Amino acid sequence: MDPWSWICELPESHDFEEFDTRAVFQLGGDLTRSIQLRVERASTSDLESLSLTFKVVAEGFSHLKSSTIWVSNTCTLSSEKPFLPLVLQLLQELISYSPTTGESTCTKSELLEIKPGPVNWVMDSHSPESFSSVFNLILVTRLFWLCVFDAPSEVGSFFFQHLLAPHVKSLTCQHAPVLRTFLVSVGVDAELCIVRAASYALSKWMISKEVGLGNLGLKQITSPLPHQSLGFSYATEAHGLWSLKGYFPILSMNVTNNNSSSENHNNKIIKFPIVEPKEAVLRYALSHQHAEVIAQFEYSVTFHENYIKVNARVDNIRIHVSKLGLHKGRGMENQIADCYSEEKYFPSRVQVYVGPEIGSSHVSGLSLGRSTKNEEREIEVMRVLKGNFGKGKVAPRVKARARISTRGKIRDWRIEQESEGNAAVFDAVLYDRESGQEVMAVKPNQEGLKNVFTKSGGMVFGRDEYGDGAGWRVGREMEGSVLKWRMGGKIWLTYWPNKLCTSFYETRCVEWCDEVDLPLVPTS
């Protein structure tokens, strides 16, 4: 699907002046129904003021009052960027519909206004074929709100089956450099609104695959999810920092541990077994959560007589689990969210790594800056003697028991540095206070996890937790070149019941990686 290239070719069509004022791009359809993007030309004889209007039309649906479900503002072909207003309108509407998280205090989507400058720059610096991935993300996410929430249910089920399912990869940011450039250009606030809106659409699609959406007319779908987890992830470099970001819906993460051994965990849809209604609603509520992970490394390059030294240390790692929901006044879904507001996934293990690209032969001498934790323990031993007072069988006897006690300080998180090849690995594992085992691999206990996370349920690791970082030595002959430096992350999120009495618990995991450029150029 490439509607952007079709749009860009409209003014250049040789037949456009004699066109019948209408053109159609098929977004999705079957034998009797379709969702189309149409363009209509304003009736005018002056070619200088020729303008176009785009419409989204749903045909063949019996419960629609009007087949036109969306109309764009006019696009003047004589302007320097005739279709910039179309992109800005779709993007602004997408952001205004962005789901709330319940904890949002700073990012208010209704107050966010997209500036045309950054969007125009991305359009100018990329070909129509490259920018198509950006336009597809914006268009498909906007269509989700139009078809699923602002149209009859038959349109929503048709959208899931014939439009979103074949093009679900358009709602991801993996291996698409133009999407990374676009998200960085529009700023962090707009990025959060965009990825949360897309993640909400992905969550709804994956829920529809789990329960079959029989009440909406969809057939049961049993095909596995794509091998790579759906979501947004990328790495960037700016101002002496390497940043690795990842945004993933909970349902796109692989299950590694739960209370049912009979379910299939090979990255396939895990169907809801026969459970109590309360637990089924709980799982539905949890399915709307998604993970937001940011890992930042502070790096430096120093030049020595015989080698170049590359240093990197953790600046901070932030993990937040957002509960995506609709704006107030959306009815039943908000009521469910309110009832289960205290039930949430939490990070139970975080692993990030940084190092040269795989196969690099010019980098060696990896140095780590933190020792393996070797905690001291105090051991108290009591020795008791057994014996008799006096002689004879009736003499009083003394009985005692030996006792050995151990005292030690236990930390909730164990944080370590390791290495894998030429990559430095930074690992943080959450331990259960009661059993002393890793939380991600054990059953919940009654003690729970108190005062371990931030007020919103997230986790922040600062530079003080990971020691002095890591360093690599590069041959001096590489001066002036640009190396590829890779970063990756892997997180485990666990759900334990908080205030709800249920036997359900599980741990899910996701991993991702990307590369950044490292110029080995001396600065004056």
Side-chain angles (χ1 to χ4, degrees):
M1 185 175 75
D2 190 7
W4 180 249
S5 296
W6 169 77
I7 290 173
C8 292
E9 292 172 359
L10 286 176
E12 300 177 2
S13 173
H14 299 293
D15 302 326
F16 197 76
E17 294 181 16
E18 301 176 0
F19 209 55
D20 67 346
T21 72
R22 182 168 297 176
V24 178
F25 185 89
Q26 186 91 342
L27 296 171
D30 57 18
L31 295 177
T32 58
R33 299 172 298 175
S34 66
I35 298 178
Q36 304 170 350
L37 180 63
R38 294 184 181 180
V39 58
E40 293 185 355
R41 186 180 66 181
S43 300
T44 177
S45 58
D46 185 8
L47 294 180
E48 292 295 325
S49 59
L50 183 64
S51 61
L52 302 178
T53 301
F54 293 89
K55 296 182 178 181
V56 175
V57 178
E59 286 194 333
F61 299 94
S62 58
H63 294 91
L64 272 177
K65 295 181 179 180
S66 172
S67 60
T68 300
I69 59 177
W70 182 82
V71 180
S72 75
N73 300 326
T74 58
C75 300
T76 305
L77 294 181
S78 59
S79 64
E80 185 178 353
K81 293 293 178 182
F83 303 119
L84 177 61
L86 173 65
V87 177
L88 292 175
Q89 180 185 354
L90 287 168
L91 185 57
Q92 191 68 57
E93 291 177 359
L94 182 158
I95 288 175
S96 67
Y97 276 89
S98 180
T100 59
T101 63
E103 309 95 2
S104 298
T105 55
C106 301
T107 305
K108 301 291 186 181
S109 59
E110 62 269 18
L111 302 178
L112 183 59
E113 184 176 351
I114 297 298
K115 298 179 180 179
V119 180
N120 188 30
W121 177 82
V122 175
M123 293 172 62
D124 277 343
S125 56
H126 294 84
S127 65
E129 292 76 15
S130 296
F131 190 75
S132 288
S133 57
V134 176
F135 188 77
N136 284 347
L137 165 65
I138 299 171
L139 179 63
V140 172
T141 308
R142 181 67 185 97
L143 287 173
F144 165 76
W145 297 105
L146 281 171
C147 298
V148 177
F149 290 98
D150 297 332
S153 60
E154 59 174 343
V155 181
S157 60
F158 180 88
F159 168 82
F160 278 132
Q161 191 171 12
H162 294 282
L163 209 159
L164 181 56
H167 309 292
V168 68
K169 287 293 186 69
S170 64
L171 297 188
T172 66
C173 183
Q174 296 164 342
H175 308 298
V178 63
L179 275 173
R180 174 178 56 192
T181 303
F182 173 74
L183 292 176
V184 172
S185 300
V186 296
V188 174
D189 292 332
E191 174 184 307
L192 272 179
C193 291
I194 293 170
V195 298
R196 284 173 178 173
S199 185
Y200 187 80
L202 286 171
S203 297
K204 287 295 189 184
W205 174 70
M206 287 183 282
I207 290 172
S208 75
K209 289 174 72 68
E210 286 198 353
V211 300
L213 274 185
N215 61 324
L216 294 184
L218 276 182
K219 297 179 180 180
Q220 187 79 11
I221 303 172
T222 57
S223 59
L225 285 171
H227 177 69
Q228 197 168 27
S229 294
L230 297 173
F232 293 79
S233 63
Y234 66 88
T236 59
E237 184 281 330
H239 313 300
L241 286 177
W242 290 326
S243 297
L244 177 70
K245 295 186 177 184
Y247 306 93
F248 303 97
I250 286 293
L251 288 183
S252 74
M253 302 171 66
N254 294 327
V255 177
T256 61
N257 181 41
N258 69 1
N259 62 322
S260 175
S261 60
S262 62
E263 296 179 3
N264 192 343
H265 298 166
N266 296 324
N267 202 27
K268 294 184 178 179
I269 293 301
I270 300 173
K271 296 181 175 60
F272 292 152
I274 299 176
V275 295
E276 293 295 326
K278 181 171 63 175
E279 184 174 321
V281 178
L282 167 66
R283 295 192 185 195
Y284 176 80
L286 293 174
S287 298
H288 292 82
Q289 298 182 12
H290 92 138
E292 301 173 354
V293 186
I294 300 175
Q296 293 184 165
F297 296 88
E298 184 179 27
Y299 78 95
S300 63
V301 179
T302 56
F303 293 81
H304 301 269
E305 183 177 356
N306 297 320
Y307 62 91
I308 303 171
K309 185 69 178 291
V310 179
N311 293 302
R313 61 177 296 179
V314 172
D315 179 69
N316 67 84
I317 301 173
R318 307 191 296 271
I319 307 101
H320 181 68
V321 180
S322 294
K323 296 180 290 185
L324 303 181
L326 298 170
H327 295 283
K328 292 182 179 180
R330 284 287 188 174
M332 182 61 68
E333 185 160 313
N334 272 352
Q335 295 178 26
I336 294 175
D338 292 339
C339 293
Y340 295 91
S341 60
E342 300 296 327
E343 307 304 317
K344 197 173 184 180
Y345 287 86
F346 57 86
S348 53
R349 185 177 180 182
V350 183
Q351 189 179 82
V352 295
Y353 65 84
V354 60
E357 65 178 335
I358 296 178
S360 176
S361 59
H362 304 286
V363 183
S364 61
L366 169 62
S367 302
L368 300 180
R370 183 185 178 93
S371 302
T372 300
K373 202 68 175 180
N374 188 18
E375 296 181 351
E376 295 181 353
R377 293 189 299 173
E378 298 178 3
I379 299 178
E380 180 182 340
V381 180
M382 297 180 62
R383 294 182 178 179
V384 179
L385 297 176
K386 296 182 179 180
N388 297 340
F389 291 103
K391 298 180 179 181
K393 295 182 179 180
V394 297
R397 300 177 65 85
V398 177
K399 297 180 180 180
R401 294 181 180 179
R403 183 179 66 187
I404 299 177
S405 62
T406 302
R407 297 176 182 176
K409 295 181 179 180
I410 300 176
R411 298 185 66 184
D412 293 310
W413 289 91
R414 178 166 181 169
I415 299 174
E416 295 181 332
Q417 283 187 18
E418 298 178 2
S419 65
E420 185 173 342
N422 252 343
V425 182
F426 303 87
D427 202 1
V429 182
L430 179 62
Y431 281 82
D432 176 28
R433 295 172 183 173
E434 188 173 283
S435 65
Q437 295 179 318
E438 296 180 6
V439 165
M440 65 179 185
V442 298
K443 295 181 179 180
N445 62 61
Q446 295 179 352
E447 172 68 18
L449 299 167
K450 299 177 181 178
N451 303 320
V452 177
F453 308 104
T454 62
K455 184 70 175 178
S456 61
M459 192 69 197
V460 177
F461 299 97
R463 63 176 63 190
D464 57 314
E465 293 280 7
Y466 282 100
D468 295 330
W472 298 263
R473 300 199 178 198
V474 184
R476 192 64 194 247
E477 70 276 4
M478 299 303 294
E479 180 178 345
S481 62
V482 178
L483 300 183
K484 290 289 185 182
W485 223 253
R486 60 191 169 108
M487 292 187 290
K490 188 174 183 179
I491 64 166
W492 289 256
L493 298 181
T494 298
Y495 169 74
W496 280 6
N498 188 12
K499 294 186 176 181
L500 192 68
C501 182
T502 175
S503 61
F504 174 72
Y505 68 90
E506 73 172 5
T507 296
R508 290 176 177 262
C509 177
V510 65
E511 59 181 316
W512 73 101
C513 62
D514 201 358
E515 292 181 339
V516 292
D517 292 332
L518 175 63
L520 300 181
V521 180
T523 57
S524 56

